Coordinates of all heavy atoms in Angstrom, one line a residue:
M215 N -0.6 19.8 -9.4 CA 0.5 19.3 -8.7 C 0.1 18.8 -7.3 O 0.4 17.8 -6.8 CB 1.7 20.3 -8.5 CG 2.4 20.5 -9.8 SD 3.4 19.0 -10.3 CE 4.8 19.3 -9.4
A216 N -0.8 19.7 -6.6 CA -1.4 19.3 -5.4 C -2.2 18.1 -5.4 O -2.1 17.2 -4.5 CB -2.1 20.6 -4.8
G217 N -2.9 18.0 -6.5 CA -3.8 16.8 -6.6 C -3.0 15.6 -6.8 O -3.2 14.5 -6.2
L218 N -1.8 15.7 -7.5 CA -0.9 14.6 -7.8 C -0.2 14.1 -6.6 O -0.2 12.9 -6.2 CB 0.0 15.0 -8.9 CG 1.1 13.8 -9.2 CD1 0.4 12.6 -9.8 CD2 2.2 14.3 -10.2
V219 N 0.2 15.1 -5.8 CA 0.8 14.8 -4.5 C -0.1 14.1 -3.6 O 0.2 13.1 -2.9 CB 1.5 16.1 -3.8 CG1 1.8 15.8 -2.4 CG2 2.6 16.6 -4.6
A220 N -1.4 14.6 -3.4 CA -2.5 14.0 -2.6 C -2.7 12.5 -3.1 O -2.8 11.7 -2.2 CB -3.7 14.8 -2.7
L221 N -2.7 12.2 -4.4 CA -3.0 10.9 -4.9 C -1.8 10.0 -4.4 O -2.0 8.9 -4.0 CB -3.2 11.0 -6.4 CG -3.3 9.7 -7.1 CD1 -4.6 9.0 -6.6 CD2 -3.2 9.8 -8.6
L222 N -0.6 10.5 -4.7 CA 0.5 9.6 -4.3 C 0.6 9.3 -2.8 O 0.9 8.2 -2.4 CB 1.9 10.3 -4.8 CG 2.1 10.3 -6.3 CD1 3.3 11.2 -6.6 CD2 2.1 9.0 -6.9
V223 N 0.3 10.3 -1.9 CA 0.3 10.1 -0.6 C -0.8 9.2 -0.2 O -0.6 8.2 0.7 CB 0.1 11.4 0.2 CG1 -0.2 11.2 1.7 CG2 1.3 12.3 0.1
G224 N -1.9 9.2 -0.8 CA -3.0 8.3 -0.5 C -2.7 6.8 -1.0 O -3.0 5.9 -0.3
L225 N -2.0 6.7 -2.1 CA -1.6 5.3 -2.4 C -0.5 4.7 -1.6 O -0.6 3.5 -1.3 CB -1.1 5.3 -3.9 CG -2.1 5.6 -5.0 CD1 -1.4 5.7 -6.4 CD2 -3.1 4.5 -5.0
A226 N 0.4 5.6 -1.1 CA 1.4 5.0 -0.1 C 0.8 4.6 1.2 O 1.4 3.7 1.8 CB 2.4 6.2 0.0
A227 N -0.3 5.3 1.6 CA -0.8 5.0 2.9 C -1.8 3.7 2.8 O -2.2 3.3 3.9 CB -1.6 6.2 3.5
T228 N -2.1 3.3 1.7 CA -3.1 2.2 1.6 C -2.3 0.9 2.0 O -1.2 0.6 1.6 CB -3.5 2.0 0.1 OG1 -4.1 3.3 -0.3 CG2 -4.5 0.9 -0.1
P229 N -3.0 0.1 3.0 CA -2.3 -1.1 3.4 C -2.2 -2.2 2.3 O -3.0 -2.2 1.4 CB -3.2 -1.5 4.5 CG -4.5 -0.9 4.3 CD -4.3 0.4 3.7
S230 N -1.2 -3.0 2.4 CA -1.0 -4.0 1.4 C -2.1 -5.1 1.6 O -2.5 -5.4 2.7 CB 0.3 -4.7 1.6 OG 0.5 -5.8 0.8
T231 N -2.6 -5.6 0.5 CA -3.6 -6.7 0.7 C -3.0 -8.1 0.7 O -3.7 -9.1 0.9 CB -4.7 -6.6 -0.5 OG1 -3.8 -6.7 -1.7 CG2 -5.3 -5.3 -0.5
A232 N -1.6 -8.3 0.5 CA -1.0 -9.6 0.6 C -1.0 -10.1 2.0 O -0.8 -9.4 2.9 CB 0.5 -9.4 0.1
Q233 N -1.4 -11.4 2.1 CA -1.4 -12.0 3.5 C -0.4 -13.2 3.4 O -0.3 -13.9 2.4 CB -2.8 -12.4 3.8 CG -3.7 -11.2 3.9 CD -5.1 -11.6 4.3 OE1 -5.4 -12.8 4.5 NE2 -6.0 -10.6 4.5
V234 N 0.1 -13.5 4.6 CA 1.0 -14.6 4.8 C 0.2 -15.8 5.4 O -0.3 -15.5 6.5 CB 2.3 -14.2 5.5 CG1 3.2 -15.4 5.7 CG2 3.0 -13.2 4.8
F235 N 0.2 -17.0 4.9 CA -0.4 -18.1 5.5 C 0.5 -19.2 5.9 O 0.1 -20.3 6.2 CB -1.6 -18.6 4.6 CG -2.6 -17.7 4.3 CD1 -2.8 -16.9 3.1 CD2 -3.6 -17.2 5.3 CE1 -3.7 -16.0 2.8 CE2 -4.5 -16.3 5.0 CZ -4.7 -15.8 3.8
T236 N 1.8 -18.9 5.9 CA 2.7 -19.9 6.2 C 3.8 -19.4 7.2 O 3.9 -18.2 7.5 CB 3.5 -20.4 5.0 OG1 4.2 -19.3 4.5 CG2 2.6 -21.0 3.9
G237 N 4.6 -20.3 7.8 CA 5.6 -20.0 8.7 C 6.9 -20.7 8.2 O 7.0 -21.3 7.2
R238 N 7.9 -20.7 9.0 CA 9.2 -21.3 8.7 C 10.0 -21.8 10.0 O 9.8 -21.2 11.0 CB 10.1 -20.3 7.9 CG 10.6 -19.1 8.5 CD 11.1 -18.1 7.6 NE 12.6 -18.3 7.6 CZ 13.4 -17.5 6.9 NH1 13.0 -16.5 6.2 NH2 14.7 -17.6 7.0

């Protein structure tokens, strides 16, 4: 359970790789 919680916290803290190249 501790390992699963650590994995989920690690995934949630990973920055998104999507980038925006447009405006409006």
Side-chain angles (χ1 to χ4, degrees):
M215 289 294 276
L218 180 61
V219 168
L221 177 66
L222 290 175
V223 168
L225 288 176
T228 304
S230 173
T231 58
Q233 295 180 359
V234 177
F235 295 106
T236 61
R238 64 190 266 185

